[in-house]
Amino acid sequence: MKENTKLLTIGQFADLHGINKKTLMWYDQIGLFAPAAVNPENGYRYYNYHQSSILETILLLRELDVSIKEIQDFMNNRSAFSLKCLLDQKIAELDCHIANLKAIRETMRGQRQNMETLLTMDLSKISMVEKEERYLVTLEINDDTSFDKQVEMITAETKRHHLRRLHDAAYGTMISTEDLYHYNFNHYCKLFIEIPLPIEQCPGLFLRPKGTYLRAFHKGAWEGISLKYQEILSYAKDHKLTLSGFSYEMGINENVIDSMEDYITQIEIPILKANETQHHEKC
């Protein structure tokens, strides 16, 4: 096979690779990628097809946000090993970025679901919903833990899991159903955080079980939420339902209100199944 020595103008070579010819001119000026030939009379740059693979490598590295300095260092010491090391580093960074984008998407889906709920909800209705199991990060609190302190705790924990902002995670409070049955409606014991990223097993990781949950909504300041819990207990008694585990409270409209009078708290509590209820009673 004869070696192809056809030369392309800078415009033709740029079109071949889908870039602006000014990019090629800049690469030449900074010593990153030089043309195959330059007309000494008019300074026109010419390229050949053999240079395509090198340019495509540079363009790939730029898409991976590799700096010009890093690319120049690579071009001055090109080898399979140096390219592999560079790609390993950038692929790891890209995987992290993809994971962050997935987390953002999951957060947006949760926010959208909350807005759909707000548009269709009946505040007076108590309903039953099916929930999938979910691992939560939990933080211990007590009656003396102020609201300001709770915000600080949640903020610190989300940062520990490398989230960018507080609202990258859904969060709320937990109260045991044992306390509910004893009318201790303000005895909160845990903060919970739903982190939309894969997290390693760590202290405080808690499994919110899969199953049927009672769902109710409270509108207004938290001080009045005890009345909603009394409604929930009456509903459970009338329908012969046994509440289990913890009640999970979460605000769902913080980003669209200006007053706590309009604040809506979503309450979800697991229900024991019939066979589980019988076992619970024997215990």
Side-chain angles (χ1 to χ4, degrees), residues 109-123 125 127 129 131 215-217 250-253 264-268:
R109 289 181 61 186
Q111 291 282 0
R112 179 187 176 191
Q113 180 61 52
N114 287 344
M115 296 307 104
E116 289 180 351
T117 299
L118 287 171
L119 294 172
T120 59
M121 71 192 323
D122 180 351
L123 288 174
K125 183 179 180 181
S127 59
V129 296
K131 303 281 291 185
R215 174 184 285 174
F217 299 96
M250 184 171 62
I252 63 171
N253 68 335
I264 295 177
T265 303
Q266 176 181 276
I267 302 169
E268 294 180 333

Side-chain angles (χ1 to χ4, degrees), residues 214-273:
L214 274 188
R215 174 184 285 174
F217 299 96
H218 167 70
K219 183 177 182 180
W222 295 308
E223 289 78 10
I225 205 166
S226 59
L227 295 177
K228 180 58 65 175
Y229 275 121
Q230 291 179 41
E231 289 182 33
I232 292 172
L233 290 175
S234 296
Y235 180 94
K237 182 178 179 181
D238 292 343
H239 291 79
K240 296 181 172 54
L241 302 174
T242 301
L243 306 180
S244 172
F246 295 87
S247 170
Y248 303 87
E249 293 182 15
M250 184 171 62
I252 63 171
N253 68 335
E254 292 174 300
N255 52 357
V256 293
I257 63 169
D258 296 317
S259 169
M260 279 300 294
E261 294 179 0
D262 298 317
Y263 189 89
I264 295 177
T265 303
Q266 176 181 276
I267 302 169
E268 294 180 333
I269 312 174
I271 302 170
L272 283 181
K273 296 179 181 178

Side-chain angles (χ1 to χ4, degrees), residues 2 18 20 57 82 95 118 138 143 147-148 168 174 186-187 196 202 257 264 269 279:
K2 290 185 178 180
N20 192 300
T57 300
S82 61
D95 287 342
L118 287 171
T138 60
D143 295 343
F147 174 72
D148 291 349
D168 282 350
M174 296 166 60
N186 296 311
H187 192 205
C202 62
I257 63 169
I264 295 177
I269 312 174
H279 177 73

Side-chain angles (χ1 to χ4, degrees), residues 14 48 50 57 69 85-86 101 105 178 226 250:
N48 62 45
H50 292 295
T57 300
K69 177 64 168 58
C85 290
L86 188 55
L101 288 177
R105 183 177 185 273
E178 181 179 356
S226 59
M250 184 171 62

Side-chain angles (χ1 to χ4, degrees), residues 96-113:
C96 183
H97 183 59
I98 291 172
N100 286 332
L101 288 177
K102 287 182 177 179
I104 293 170
R105 183 177 185 273
E106 192 65 25
T107 300
M108 292 174 65
R109 289 181 61 186
Q111 291 282 0
R112 179 187 176 191
Q113 180 61 52

Side-chain angles (χ1 to χ4, degrees), residues 1-263:
M1 180 182 293
K2 290 185 178 180
E3 184 177 0
N4 191 341
T5 57
K6 178 181 178 181
L7 293 177
L8 305 174
T9 67
I10 188 170
Q12 291 172 326
F13 197 66
D15 287 341
L16 179 65
H17 293 278
I19 60 175
N20 192 300
K21 66 180 183 180
K22 290 183 179 180
T23 301
L24 289 173
M25 294 172 65
W26 181 53
Y27 285 171
D28 184 20
Q29 290 170 3
I30 64 176
L32 178 61
F33 182 72
V38 178
N39 188 317
E41 296 180 0
N42 54 26
Y44 288 174
R45 298 171 173 87
Y46 295 92
Y47 299 81
N48 62 45
Y49 288 106
H50 292 295
Q51 294 178 284
S52 289
S53 60
I54 298 175
L55 178 61
E56 283 297 324
T57 300
I58 293 173
L59 297 177
L60 169 63
L61 294 176
R62 291 299 290 149
E63 286 184 14
L64 290 173
D65 286 332
V66 180
S67 69
I68 292 295
K69 177 64 168 58
E70 288 177 297
I71 298 177
Q72 286 176 323
D73 290 342
F74 163 71
M75 293 297 292
N76 292 331
N77 186 31
R78 276 192 299 154
S79 68
F81 178 75
S82 61
L83 181 57
K84 178 185 180 301
C85 290
L86 188 55
L87 289 176
D88 283 346
Q89 175 189 342
K90 296 306 173 180
I91 289 172
E93 293 175 3
L94 183 60
D95 287 342
C96 183
H97 183 59
I98 291 172
N100 286 332
L101 288 177
K102 287 182 177 179
I104 293 170
R105 183 177 185 273
E106 192 65 25
T107 300
M108 292 174 65
R109 289 181 61 186
Q111 291 282 0
R112 179 187 176 191
Q113 180 61 52
N114 287 344
M115 296 307 104
E116 289 180 351
T117 299
L118 287 171
L119 294 172
T120 59
M121 71 192 323
D122 180 351
L123 288 174
S124 64
K125 183 179 180 181
I126 298 176
S127 59
M128 288 187 281
V129 296
E130 296 299 318
K131 303 281 291 185
E132 294 297 323
E133 70 176 25
R134 184 70 179 266
Y135 281 99
L136 311 174
V137 173
T138 60
L139 302 167
E140 300 292 330
I141 58 174
N142 55 46
D143 295 343
D144 296 325
T145 309
S146 67
F147 174 72
D148 291 349
K149 180 62 176 177
Q150 291 180 29
V151 173
E152 291 175 1
M153 292 169 66
I154 291 174
T155 302
E157 194 67 14
T158 54
K159 287 181 179 178
R160 193 169 76 84
H161 290 283
H162 309 293
L163 297 179
R164 301 170 308 138
R165 299 183 181 89
L166 185 61
H167 284 286
D168 282 350
Y171 56 91
T173 52
M174 296 166 60
I175 181 171
S176 73
T177 54
E178 181 179 356
D179 277 318
L180 296 183
Y181 279 122
H182 286 88
Y183 296 90
N184 297 322
F185 301 129
N186 296 311
H187 192 205
Y188 294 94
C189 58
K190 296 177 187 290
L191 302 173
F192 73 86
I193 307 170
E194 292 186 4
I195 296 182
L197 287 171
I199 53 178
E200 298 177 356
Q201 296 290 327
C202 62
L205 208 59
F206 179 89
L207 178 64
R208 186 186 67 193
K210 175 181 179 179
T212 305
Y213 284 61
L214 274 188
R215 174 184 285 174
F217 299 96
H218 167 70
K219 183 177 182 180
W222 295 308
E223 289 78 10
I225 205 166
S226 59
L227 295 177
K228 180 58 65 175
Y229 275 121
Q230 291 179 41
E231 289 182 33
I232 292 172
L233 290 175
S234 296
Y235 180 94
K237 182 178 179 181
D238 292 343
H239 291 79
K240 296 181 172 54
L241 302 174
T242 301
L243 306 180
S244 172
F246 295 87
S247 170
Y248 303 87
E249 293 182 15
M250 184 171 62
I252 63 171
N253 68 335
E254 292 174 300
N255 52 357
V256 293
I257 63 169
D258 296 317
S259 169
M260 279 300 294
E261 294 179 0
D262 298 317
Y263 189 89

